[in-house]
Amino acid sequence: MKRKLGLLFVVLAVVLSFSVLALAKQDTLIVAVDREPSSMNPHGSNDAGTSFVTNLMYEGLVTFDSDMNLVPELATRWEQIDDTTIRFYLRDNVYFHNGEHFTAKDVKYTFELTSKSPFTASTLGMIDAEATTIIDDYTVDIVLKYPFGPAINHLGHSTAAIVNQKAMEEGGENYDDNPVGTGPFVLKKWNSGDSIELTTSDNYWGEKPAYKTLVLRYIPEATTRAIEVETGGVDIARAISANDAINLGDNPNVNVISSNILNTSYLSYNCSKPPFDNVKVRQAISSAINADAVVRNVTFGLGERANSVMAPSIFGYVPSEEPYGYNVERAKSLLAEAGYADGFKTTLVVNAVNASTSAEIIQNMLAQIGIEVEILAYDFNNWLDTIVNGRQDMYIGGWTTVTGDADYALRNSFHTNNKGTGGNRSYYSNPEVDALLEQAAVEMNQGIRAELYKKVQEVLAEEAVYVNLQIGQVHLAAGKHVKGLVAHPNQNIDLWTVYFE
Amino acid sequence: MFRYISRRIIMMIPVLLGVVFVIFTILYFSPGDPARTILGVTATEQEVQMLSEELGLNDPYGVQLFRYLKDLLRGDMGRSYKNNKSVSAEILQRFPTTLLLATLSILFAAVIAIVAGIISAIKQYSVFDNIVTGFSLLGISIPNFWLGLMLIILVSLHWRLLPASGFYGPRYWILPLITNGVGYMAGIMRITRSSMLEVIRQDYIRTARAKGQREIVVILKHALRNAIIPIITLIGLQFGRALGGAVLIETVFAIPGLGKYLVDSISAKDIPVIQGGVLFLAFLFGVVNLCVDILYGFFDPRISSQYRRKKEKAVKMHAKQAN
C-alpha cells in the first residue's frame, strides 16, 4: 500500500511539474476550429474556413475593424480620382514572407489573378486589371470597369488579399505547401484533416504577436471543442453551440464571447408562383408568424431577431418598421382578402442541418390560419439546387454579406436580373426596386446610397417578400488566461492581438 | 494456394470497374451541382460557370467517365474539387490513422470478448455469464458517439486523466479505441458464446475429457478450434468495416481518418474523392475477405485439405494428359 501511494505521488509530481512548466512560458496559442480551409491561396476559395486562415497570413489594401469600418492595411490612404479610378498610396516598409519587397507591382499582379478566379468574380469582378496602372513603387491606380459605389468595401474582403508573383509562380500546383503573404503568420505545416501549424513572421511590418507558434486544430464536433477549452487542451474554441455557450458561462475559468455576424436567415417564397405572387398572401404569412418566438427557441434565447434582411453591421442597414408584424387576426383577414379564406396546402424547403426546428415551429404557426405546410428537409446540395432552380414554394434561406455593403445583399437577392442562379431565390421582380438598386450601385455619394437602400428595404418590408428570422451568431470560448481576443462580424479573428496573462 | 490468391485478386478487377461505373453514374445523375455547392449560397451564375469550366463539369457524361477511367488506369485518382489536393495522396495520408484505430479497436475487442465469451459459455447461466450477456446487449445498444462524449466528459474533463481529442500518441488512443471497441466487443462476445456452447456439447469433447485431457486443453484445443470459424468471419467483417473509418468516432475525437473525409466529400458532392474513397474501400474489403478465407484454411484443416486435394487432382490430370 505504501509503495503504491509512493508511486502515485511520483506520478502526480511529474504531471504537476509538466503543467507548471507549460504554464510558466506559454509561447503557443492553440485554437480549435470547426472547419478546414479549402486552400491556402486567398483567391482559391471563398469559404469561411479558408478566409479564417488566409486572414492570418495575408493582408489586403484595406481591411475592416471589428465594427466593420474600413481601415488602412497595406495602403496608408486612398482617394477617388474619378468615378472609375481609385488611387492607393502604399506602405513602403512591407516585406513578404519570402523576403520580397511589397510594391505596386504586386497589387496589379494580384488583380490580374483575381480576374481569372471563379471565387472572386462576384466580389472583385468590377476591377479592370489591365487598365490598373502602376504610378510608382508605392502608388497605384485601380481602375474599375464601371462606376461602383461599394468598390472599396469589396477590396476589404479576404479574397482581395495581395499575393506575391514570385511565390505564386514558384509554388505552382504546390503553392498550398508554401503560401506567401505579408501578414503576421507564416504557414509551417498543414496536416490535412488534423491541424495547421503557423509561426510568426520575421518580416511582418506591424506589431509582432506575443507568442511564437499558432496551432489551429480542426475539431469537427462542437461539444468536443467546448470541452477542450475546459480541459485546457486548447486556448480558444471557435463556433461552439448555443447550448455549450450557456453551460460554459458558469465556468469561472472560461470566457464566452457571443457576437453577431454578417448573416441573417429568413423565410421567403417563390414570388413568381401562385399563391405567393399575391402580396396579400405574403403579408398574411408575415402576420401569422411570431418570429421572435421562433428565434428564441432555436437560439436558446441567445440570438437576436433580425429586423432587416441584412445584419445591423452592414452599410445601408435600416431596421424595418414591421408593417406586418405578428397578428393572427390580421393574418386571417388578409388571407381571406386574397381569396384563400380556407387556407391552402404548400411546401417549405429547408436545409436540414440548420433550419429543421424553425421550419417545424413555422409549420405550426401557419396551421393556425389554415395553411398546411409540408416540410422538405434536404441536405445542402439538394436544398440549394431546389431554390436556385425555383422549384420551391416557401423556403428558409440565409445570406452572408461578406463585403459589409448593402449592394452585395440587396442587389444579388432581389434584382430581377439575378433571379435564381444569381442569388434572387425569392424570384422577386419589381421595376421600382430594380431601379433603386441600379442607382445605388453606381452612386458615389455614400449618404445618397444609404437613402436609396433605406427606400429599398421599406418597399421589401411593405411587400412582405420575406419574414426575418435570426441574425447569425458565433460563440467563442476561451480560457481565462487568453486576453486581447476580438471577434469580427466576418467570422475572422485577429489572433495576432492575443496575449496571455 | 498461390494460384488461388492470384485468381482472387484478378477477380477483383471487374468488381472494382463495376464499382467505378455505378458510383460515377449515380453521382452524375444525382441532384446538385458540385461547382455551386463549393461556391456556396452567395455565388453568382458567372462564378459557377467559371468553376464548372475549370473542373471540367460542363463535359457530357461519357467524356467525363472516359476521362476518369483513363486517369485511373494510369494510377491517377484525380484531385478533390473542393481543395484541389490529390485524392490518392490524401487517402494514403489518412489510411495509417484509420488502420491503427481499426487494428487497436478490433484487437482490444477481440481479446476481451473471446476470453469473456469462452468463460461465459463454459459457465453458462452463472453470474459471470449474466454479466457478459448483459454487457453485450448494452454494448450493441449504446450509440458510440454518445459513449465517446460521456467518456470524454468523465475521463478528460472530470478526472483529467487523458486528453479529450486528437490522435497524437498512445495516451490519445485509449478513449477512441475503447469507444470504438465496445460495439465490436459485444458482437464478438455473443458469437463466441453461442459458437462455443454448440461445440462443447459435441461427442468429441466428451471423448477428450474421457481420455483424461486437462480441461484447459479441452477448451482451447478441442473446443475453441472448432468454434472459431464464425468468430473469425465476424471479426473479418468488422475489420473490413472498421477500415472504412469510424465517422462518428473520428468526429467526436477529432481524428484525421478516412471516414470523416469520405462522408464530408459526399455532402460536398466532391466526386473524385467519393470515387477514390469507395474504390479504395472496395479493394480493402476484397483483401480482408481474402485474408479471412486464408485464415479459415489455417484454423480448419478440412478446408485447406480441399485445396490440396484439388491441386493433387490437377497434378494427376496433368500427368495423365502428359502421358
Side-chain angles (χ1 to χ4, degrees):
Chain A
M1 192 64 198
K2 228 176 186 176
R3 245 181 63 194
K4 269 190 189 160
L5 270 179
L7 191 69
L8 189 70
F9 185 76
V10 171
V11 170
L12 269 179
V14 170
V15 171
L16 275 177
S17 57
F18 269 113
S19 21
V20 168
L21 274 178
L23 279 180
K25 188 178 157 240
Q26 179 162 12
D27 59 3
T28 302
L29 176 69
I30 305 178
V31 182
V33 295
D34 56 321
R35 43 188 141 188
E36 282 207 283
S38 307
S39 175
M40 290 289 164
N41 173 355
H43 323 134
S45 173
N46 61 356
D47 58 41
T50 303
S51 94
F52 184 83
V53 178
T54 55
N55 176 52
L56 302 168
M57 300 189 287
Y58 297 89
E59 294 169 299
L61 295 174
V62 294
T63 189
F64 296 103
D65 68 10
S66 54
D67 297 318
M68 287 308 282
N69 299 312
L70 275 168
V71 290
E73 197 162 41
L74 289 175
T76 50
R77 63 195 170 88
W78 55 90
E79 61 193 16
Q80 193 88 37
I81 304 280
D82 58 49
D83 274 5
T84 54
T85 312
I86 312 168
R87 177 163 297 174
F88 283 89
Y89 298 92
L90 311 175
R91 283 183 202 281
D92 58 6
N93 59 340
V94 178
Y95 291 85
F96 284 96
H97 299 155
N98 62 355
E100 294 276 298
H101 193 168
F102 161 72
T103 64
K105 259 189 252 154
D106 300 300
V107 177
K108 186 170 161 74
Y109 174 72
T110 295
F111 293 119
E112 281 167 3
L113 285 189
T114 58
S115 67
K116 290 174 224 139
S117 164
F119 296 99
T120 54
S122 67
T123 42
L124 302 172
M126 75 290 178
I127 295 175
D128 186 342
E130 300 221 326
T132 291
T133 334
I134 298 168
I135 306 295
D136 61 44
D137 269 4
Y138 307 111
T139 317
V140 61
D141 279 354
I142 290 188
V143 179
L144 308 181
K145 290 175 186 155
Y146 42 84
F148 191 53
I152 308 248
N153 266 67
H154 284 233
L155 290 171
H157 185 245
S158 63
T159 53
I162 304 298
V163 297
N164 178 251
Q165 180 163 10
K166 193 169 160 227
M168 290 298 277
E169 282 166 3
E170 279 176 3
E173 216 167 42
N174 299 317
Y175 180 78
D176 279 1
D177 297 335
N178 197 11
V180 171
T182 58
F185 293 100
V186 189
L187 179 75
K188 205 165 136 203
K189 195 156 187 282
W190 180 4
N191 307 305
S192 177
D194 181 63
S195 61
I196 295 167
E197 292 167 49
L198 303 125
T199 50
T200 49
S201 163
D202 294 332
N203 295 339
Y204 182 47
W205 58 274
E207 199 181 322
K208 293 200 171 66
Y211 53 92
K212 285 215 176 63
T213 309
L214 170 62
V215 180
L216 308 176
R217 278 193 56 202
Y218 170 51
I219 303 182
E221 169 62 37
T223 310
T224 311
R225 288 197 295 278
I227 289 174
E228 280 287 28
V229 175
E230 286 193 271
T231 64
V234 305
D235 300 298
I236 302 170
R238 230 187 76 89
I240 61 169
S241 69
N243 219 345
D244 285 328
I246 295 169
N247 289 337
L248 287 185
D250 301 334
N251 185 329
N253 299 318
V254 177
N255 281 325
V256 176
I257 304 172
S258 302
S259 52
N260 289 339
I261 58 173
L262 299 171
N263 167 284
T264 56
S265 348
Y266 44 82
L267 169 83
S268 187
Y269 322 91
N270 183 338
C271 298
S272 67
K273 211 161 146 181
F276 304 105
D277 54 347
N278 185 334
V279 63
K280 289 234 155 72
V281 171
R282 301 196 300 256
Q283 289 167 341
I285 292 176
S286 281
S287 302
I289 293 174
N290 181 352
D292 287 309
V294 176
V295 173
R296 208 166 42 240
N297 266 294
V298 297
T299 65
F300 296 87
L302 293 182
E304 234 177 283
R305 166 144 191 240
N307 39 23
S308 160
V309 75
M310 298 189 289
S313 46
I314 294 164
F315 173 82
Y317 159 85
V318 179
S320 89
E321 299 293 324
E322 292 245 328
Y324 296 94
Y326 182 49
N327 182 339
V328 178
E329 285 316 306
R330 185 177 54 207
K332 282 181 183 158
S333 63
L334 279 166
L335 205 55
E337 280 174 47
Y340 294 97
D342 299 329
F344 54 86
K345 272 190 186 179
T346 187
T347 61
L348 170 59
V349 178
V350 298
N351 177 357
V353 176
N354 58 26
S356 289
T357 320
S358 310
E360 280 164 29
I361 304 173
I362 288 168
Q363 183 185 39
N364 275 309
M365 289 171 172
L366 292 184
Q368 289 179 350
I369 59 166
I371 300 178
E372 195 184 313
V373 178
E374 184 194 347
I375 298 172
L376 306 173
Y378 291 157
D379 68 313
F380 177 76
N381 267 314
N382 222 329
W383 166 79
L384 188 59
D385 197 55
T386 306
I387 63 171
V388 163
N389 294 304
R391 291 196 304 267
Q392 77 278 28
D393 295 318
M394 296 201 282
Y395 72 100
I396 293 181
W399 191 269
T400 307
T401 309
V402 286
T403 60
D405 184 276
D407 178 72
Y408 192 83
L410 300 177
R411 196 156 54 93
N412 287 343
S413 302
F414 300 106
H415 193 284
T416 306
N417 291 347
N418 289 330
K419 268 189 189 179
T421 53
N424 180 355
R425 278 88 204 227
S426 301
Y427 282 74
Y428 180 71
S429 179
N430 180 341
E432 186 195 355
V433 169
D434 290 352
L436 288 168
L437 289 171
E438 281 159 26
Q439 197 190 337
V442 299
E443 177 59 55
M444 290 296 152
N445 181 324
Q446 301 297 334
I448 298 175
R449 290 187 67 225
E451 275 303 309
L452 293 168
Y453 289 127
K454 180 168 185 261
K455 188 91 188 67
V456 172
Q457 285 166 85
E458 279 166 8
V459 175
L460 292 174
E462 178 58 38
E463 292 250 287
V465 183
Y466 46 80
V467 180
N468 290 313
L469 300 173
Q470 70 268 28
I471 301 172
Q473 208 175 27
V474 168
H475 309 285
L476 291 177
K480 267 271 148 60
H481 61 291
V482 176
K483 304 285 172 194
L485 183 59
V486 181
H488 279 244
N490 61 14
Q491 303 184 49
N492 293 337
I493 310 177
D494 293 346
L495 289 170
W496 54 91
T497 63
V498 167
Y499 58 97
F500 308 107
E501 218 173 71
Chain B
M1 197 66 183
F2 175 75
R3 264 188 50 191
Y4 171 72
I5 294 176
S6 47
R7 204 175 65 220
R8 284 280 299 262
I9 289 178
I10 291 168
M11 280 282 285
M12 276 164 70
I13 294 174
V15 173
L16 294 181
L17 281 177
V19 166
V20 170
F21 176 74
V22 170
I23 298 284
F24 191 90
T25 309
I26 291 175
L27 288 173
Y28 185 87
F29 291 103
S30 67
D33 174 355
R36 191 171 282 286
T37 303
I38 290 165
L39 286 162
V41 176
T42 54
T44 59
E45 181 60 16
Q46 185 199 1
E47 290 176 317
V48 174
Q49 278 311 321
M50 281 169 88
L51 188 61
S52 300
E53 193 58 46
E54 220 176 271
L55 299 176
L57 296 172
N58 291 338
D59 298 331
Y61 167 74
V63 175
Q64 285 191 46
L65 178 61
F66 182 72
R67 189 171 51 214
Y68 185 79
L69 285 173
K70 204 177 73 187
D71 288 347
L72 192 65
L73 288 179
R74 285 190 315 213
D76 179 6
M77 286 184 168
R79 280 172 177 269
S80 154
Y81 287 164
K82 189 160 169 58
N83 62 19
N84 201 31
K85 289 190 177 214
S86 152
V87 173
S88 44
E90 193 76 9
I91 288 178
L92 289 179
Q93 193 208 321
R94 285 168 192 254
F95 182 61
T97 305
T98 297
L99 183 65
L100 181 66
L101 177 63
T103 314
L104 287 175
S105 321
I106 295 279
L107 266 181
F108 166 74
V111 169
I112 297 183
I114 292 178
V115 173
I118 292 173
I119 301 177
S120 162
I122 49 186
K123 308 257 185 230
Q124 202 186 1
Y125 304 132
S126 67
V127 177
F128 184 85
D129 182 30
N130 285 334
I131 293 175
V132 167
T133 340
F135 176 82
S136 50
L137 186 65
L138 208 65
I140 286 181
S141 328
I142 288 180
N144 58 8
F145 68 90
W146 179 84
L147 179 65
L149 281 176
M150 289 304 120
L151 282 175
I152 291 178
I153 290 173
L154 196 68
V155 179
S156 309
L157 189 56
H158 288 298
W159 296 344
R160 303 283 161 122
L161 285 177
L162 294 168
S165 67
F167 210 64
Y168 307 121
R171 269 165 55 75
Y172 293 83
W173 300 342
I174 300 172
L175 291 185
L177 86 87
I178 293 177
T179 313
N180 205 16
V182 163
Y184 297 133
M185 202 188 284
I188 304 173
M189 260 179 202
R190 288 172 76 98
I191 204 119
T192 308
R193 181 176 179 273
S194 62
S195 180
M196 279 297 280
L197 277 177
E198 207 173 287
V199 170
I200 51 177
R201 298 212 174 91
Q202 301 286 335
D203 291 342
Y204 55 82
I205 298 294
R206 197 179 311 138
T207 312
R209 284 195 180 122
K211 73 180 183 186
Q213 196 60 273
R214 279 187 304 144
E215 185 64 16
I216 182 100
V217 178
V218 173
I219 297 301
L220 292 185
K221 198 173 160 201
H222 297 260
L224 182 61
R225 195 150 178 200
N226 282 300
I228 202 107
I229 293 291
I231 303 176
I232 288 183
T233 311
L234 179 70
I235 294 179
L237 280 174
Q238 287 182 336
F239 191 60
R241 211 178 63 197
L243 287 182
V247 187
L248 296 173
I249 307 274
E250 286 169 17
T251 307
V252 169
F253 291 100
I255 300 170
L258 273 182
K260 180 95 176 85
Y261 178 57
L262 297 184
V263 170
D264 284 353
S265 73
I266 294 171
S267 48
K269 223 187 168 200
D270 196 339
I271 294 173
V273 178
I274 305 176
Q275 285 274 26
V278 172
L279 203 58
F280 183 71
L281 291 188
F283 172 73
L284 276 184
F285 226 97
V287 171
V288 171
N289 272 346
L290 180 60
C291 292
V292 169
D293 285 350
I294 294 168
L295 274 183
Y296 283 166
F298 178 73
F299 282 104
D300 191 341
R302 282 171 301 185
I303 295 176
S304 51
S305 72
Q306 270 175 19
Y307 299 131
R308 253 198 311 279
R309 238 178 286 140
K310 249 188 216 161
K311 204 174 167 187
E312 277 159 17
K313 222 168 157 187
V315 170
K316 267 184 211 152
M317 289 271 285
H318 195 74
K320 227 185 235 168
Q321 273 168 8
N323 283 340

